[in-house]
Amino acid sequence: MRHLILILGDQLTTGISALADADPAQDRIVMAEVHNEASYTNHHRKKLVLLFSAMRHFAAALEDVGWTVDYQRYHPDNPNQSLEAVLDRTIRENAPERVVVTECGEWRLHEQMMGWADRLNCPVDIREDTRFLASKSEFAAWAKDRKQLRMEFFYREMRRKTGLLMTDDGQPEGDQWNFDADNRRKWKGAPPAPGPFRVTPDALTRDVIDSVNEFFPDHFGTTDDFHFAVTHQDAQGALEHFLDFALPCFGDYQDAMSDDEDWLFHSVLSPYINCGLLDPLAVCQTAVDRYHDGMAPLNAVEGFVRQIIGWREFVRGIYWLHMPAYAEENRLGNTRALPWFYWTGDTDMHCMHRAIDATRRNGYAHHIQRLMVTGNFALLAGVTPAEICDWYLAVYADAYDWVELPNTLGMVMHADGGYLGSKPYAASGKYIQRMSDYCKHCRYDVKQSFGENACPFNALYWHFVDRHRDQFGSNHRMGMIYRNWDRQPTERRDAIIARGEHLLSQLETL
Ligand code: FAD
Ligand code: DLZ
Ligand code: SF4
């Protein structure tokens, strides 16, 4: 046999580089559901169902077109519970000339992969993941010699590189690179939000649901109402659903949150893009086509494209540029444990309860819930970055270390010194009130900063500002905030700080 081709659970596309020169007559594919991948974090049960079912459907599709696929279904009694052990067995059985694999998305597995050739006594060809616009080395070259790495400038490079939303004479469409300032409307129930694309689970998916419930009873979240796409065709359906019903409003309500709607006008495409069911560039191209066809406004399409060719590529670049030291960063010196209500949703803070409860039910929360509610609270409360990072890695169907870590440790926790934002995204309850209707349903009073019923975000916000004066006092983007704080009467500041101290001493009870 010539090549043994390993396809990982988040590489489910025939476009993957490991298959580039593959030949079904000479090569064999191996795919495996293994304990080590399924339990390196407390993966949401919907994520396990999504990946195992999508892997099984993909393997079946490969077999339909003539491939031999050596596929291991998950069972706790399987003797080989790591990808390396499965490879070891298949190498012994097939004696391939070499193993071929596309580079993976996590440092943890990457380190293991680097030792495979020696330990398995077989050459291993690790290929670049060409699903990304910027390779690791391209990003490193862009970053080299720059004093500051800013997403906005990297994004412009990616716009030029792809030609997306660029005019024939090389200018950004609409004479502006970024329409973020237009994308901050509160949503008051109209226009109606479409809800996500839903697929009724087929027999194979139902089988996976039963296995996940049987073998992963302690994992976070529920498999109830599983409706994710698990095939390329259905993921394409999800993309079209988004383009038809949500994209036109994506920009306007990008930062909005609602007590009634879990998904608003977000695409809910990250679970598919990240595991290979959708191609990121093709997704962007179809959105841009909608703009050119007059079906979606520029602020929506530009905002959407920026998230994918800008933020998504940028965070991956930061990850590989700085790992493994990146995961250890804790520049604000946080030491607090993650409150237990992150796992249960059992808190009186209504915004937190709703964001965590949606996460538990759906394996999904949209960006503003992740950033400005659960993330913001962890930042203000001074939670240890490693603990909050592990939570985000566990609870979302789209979570992989390369994208979760920079978003959490960098964007939310500002623990890396500021690669993902020149100032922390810290906010008081006022922001949450402005962008949502959560506060109307809350036992806390968003207008108060101290006293028993005062919104915890308010005192924690000022406590954060005050305790980090050394880090942020000279940041010109925070000058106004410090001036506002310093202008407040001493008694008021003392009362707020005392309330903050009190809250920090009993986070679990909020
Ligand atoms: P939309 O709002 O519809 O955006 C469109 C697409 O843009 C997404 O599908 C995604 O591919 C991309 N995108 C948007 N924002 C980002 C971003 N900041 N970084 C990378 N890609 C982005 N995204 C993940 O894919 N996996 C994660 O593990 C993850 N963890 C996060 C943790 C925190 C603390 C925060 C603040 C954000 C995280 N994000 C993560 C980014 C973002 O929240 C999700 O990509 C988005 O909510 C997915 O939902 P959607 O597909 O409806 O996105
Ligand atoms: C996330 C995940 C899970 C839950 N299970 C598997 C698995 O059983 N087999 C597999 O090949 N991949 C799985 N994955 C995806 C891998 O963890 C992913 O490839 C690495 O984390 C690198 O991104
Ligand atoms: Fe959240 Fe505070 Fe509003 Fe309650 S009052 S929903 S805790 S921001």
Side-chain angles (χ1 to χ4, degrees):
M1 200 187 94
R2 196 178 66 146
H3 295 162
L4 183 63
I5 303 166
L6 173 67
I7 298 185
L8 302 173
D10 54 353
Q11 300 180 342
L12 307 179
T13 165
T14 51
I16 200 77
S17 57
L19 287 173
D21 52 356
D23 174 5
Q26 306 183 71
D27 305 330
R28 191 183 179 95
I29 293 174
V30 55
M31 296 176 69
E33 300 168 12
V34 290
H35 182 77
N36 281 16
E37 296 307 311
S39 61
Y40 63 78
T41 187
N42 189 246
H43 297 288
H44 195 292
R45 279 191 270 174
K46 279 203 166 82
K47 178 182 180 187
L48 292 174
V49 175
L50 168 71
L51 283 190
F52 288 177
S53 180
M55 284 171 74
R56 291 182 196 187
H57 279 93
F58 185 56
L62 289 170
E63 282 173 338
D64 283 349
V65 295
W67 279 100
T68 306
V69 184
D70 188 318
Y71 193 96
Q72 172 174 295
R73 289 190 173 196
Y74 185 84
H75 194 283
D77 298 337
N78 286 339
N80 300 310
Q81 290 290 8
S82 69
L83 292 166
E84 186 171 321
V86 170
L87 274 180
D88 193 30
R89 171 183 59 77
T90 37
I91 289 171
R92 282 172 205 282
E93 287 168 4
N94 299 287
E97 283 168 26
R98 60 178 56 242
V99 169
V100 177
V101 62
T102 293
E103 64 188 350
C104 68
E106 302 203 0
W107 183 266
R108 170 192 64 82
L109 188 57
H110 168 79
E111 269 196 309
Q112 294 172 29
M113 270 189 181
M114 300 315 277
W116 280 355
D118 280 347
R119 289 196 297 276
L120 298 170
N121 200 18
C122 179
V124 180
D125 178 5
I126 303 176
R127 298 183 178 172
E128 192 179 309
D129 191 341
T130 51
R131 291 176 296 171
F132 291 92
L133 286 176
S135 67
K136 294 173 187 174
S137 53
E138 235 178 302
F139 188 86
W142 174 81
K144 195 167 169 281
D145 301 333
R146 272 170 205 267
K147 248 172 60 201
Q148 276 194 326
L149 302 185
R150 287 284 160 253
M151 192 287 294
E152 181 62 29
F153 298 113
F154 171 78
Y155 164 58
R156 293 179 190 181
E157 295 286 316
M158 295 299 106
R159 287 271 294 276
R160 289 192 187 97
K161 180 172 179 174
T162 57
L164 288 169
L165 293 177
M166 299 297 291
T167 61
D168 290 342
D169 53 356
Q171 295 306 307
E173 199 69 52
D175 288 330
Q176 222 172 289
W177 289 102
N178 182 319
F179 290 83
D180 211 22
D182 299 349
N183 292 355
R184 298 192 182 136
R185 290 180 68 178
K186 186 169 179 165
W187 184 70
K188 295 180 179 159
F197 184 71
R198 308 178 77 85
V199 178
T200 306
D202 63 6
L204 201 158
T205 302
R206 289 199 301 276
D207 216 37
V208 176
I209 291 173
D210 290 344
S211 299
V212 166
N213 284 334
E214 182 181 354
F215 299 135
F216 298 92
D218 300 333
H219 275 232
F220 181 73
T222 173
T223 60
D224 291 353
D225 189 33
F226 182 88
H227 59 256
F228 285 131
V230 290
T231 63
H232 293 91
Q233 197 183 359
D234 284 341
Q236 191 63 31
L239 169 61
E240 274 153 32
H241 175 86
F242 165 67
L243 297 172
D244 288 345
F245 302 115
L247 178 64
C249 292
F250 175 85
D252 288 354
Y253 302 108
Q254 199 176 347
D255 286 2
M257 296 179 280
S258 159
D259 202 41
D260 302 320
E261 290 290 341
D262 289 338
W263 325 81
L264 285 169
F265 300 91
H266 291 273
S267 68
V268 200
L269 295 177
S270 52
Y272 312 134
I273 297 175
N274 292 353
C275 76
L277 293 185
L278 287 176
D279 177 66
L281 187 56
V283 165
C284 290
Q285 190 58 63
T286 54
V288 169
D289 291 347
R290 293 296 170 115
Y291 164 68
H292 288 304
D293 294 347
M295 308 287 279
L298 187 54
N299 71 311
V301 176
E302 186 283 316
F304 181 70
V305 166
R306 174 160 27 91
Q307 305 312 309
I308 296 181
I309 69 168
W311 281 113
R312 186 170 183 273
E313 293 278 336
F314 185 74
V315 298
R316 178 183 186 253
I318 295 288
Y319 180 84
W320 288 108
L321 197 60
H322 295 297
M323 281 301 277
Y326 195 73
E328 308 300 321
E329 291 275 24
N330 182 8
R331 302 242 187 130
L332 297 183
N334 292 355
T335 53
R336 278 191 194 85
L338 185 73
W340 187 246
F341 56 70
Y342 271 79
W343 297 106
T344 61
D346 187 11
T347 165
D348 285 347
M349 293 179 285
H350 192 66
C351 52
M352 290 286 284
H353 167 72
R354 294 296 287 156
I356 296 167
D357 186 54
T359 300
R360 187 191 61 78
R361 285 182 285 110
N362 301 326
Y364 177 88
H366 60 72
H367 186 65
I368 297 302
Q369 290 175 308
R370 297 188 205 194
L371 180 64
M372 300 309 293
V373 180
T374 45
N376 184 28
F377 187 84
L379 172 73
L380 301 184
V383 171
T384 311
E387 290 205 23
I388 185 69
C389 288
D390 190 50
W391 184 79
Y392 278 102
L393 185 63
V395 301
Y396 292 114
D398 59 20
Y400 299 88
D401 208 39
W402 65 266
V403 52
E404 174 277 320
L405 190 72
N407 268 297
T408 311
L409 188 137
M411 192 184 295
V412 161
M413 299 304 288
H414 212 79
D416 62 357
Y419 287 118
L420 281 299
S422 51
K423 75 177 182 63
Y425 283 92
S428 68
K430 203 167 166 184
Y431 175 89
I432 294 172
Q433 184 196 29
R434 190 164 68 241
M435 297 313 298
S436 79
D437 56 351
Y438 291 138
C439 303
K440 279 197 278 191
H441 307 276
C442 189
R443 94 148 180 84
Y444 293 111
D445 183 351
V446 72
K447 295 211 176 65
Q448 291 184 36
S449 295
F450 53 88
E452 253 323 282
N453 292 324
C455 166
F457 280 86
N458 291 340
L460 288 177
Y461 172 74
W462 289 116
H463 195 281
F464 173 87
V465 167
D466 193 63
R467 77 177 179 266
H468 289 300
R469 192 185 282 270
D470 283 354
Q471 283 99 340
F472 303 124
S474 56
N475 180 327
H476 73 276
R477 294 195 60 205
M478 294 190 66
M480 173 86 92
I481 294 166
Y482 279 100
R483 281 193 295 280
N484 275 346
W485 177 234
D486 292 339
R487 256 203 306 268
Q488 313 230 4
T490 311
E491 311 80 68
R492 183 175 162 78
R493 272 188 287 151
D494 289 348
I496 292 174
I497 293 297
R499 165 84 173 148
E501 289 289 333
H502 174 71
L503 293 168
L504 289 172
S505 71
Q506 47 172 347
L507 287 177
E508 295 289 355
T509 66
L510 299 181

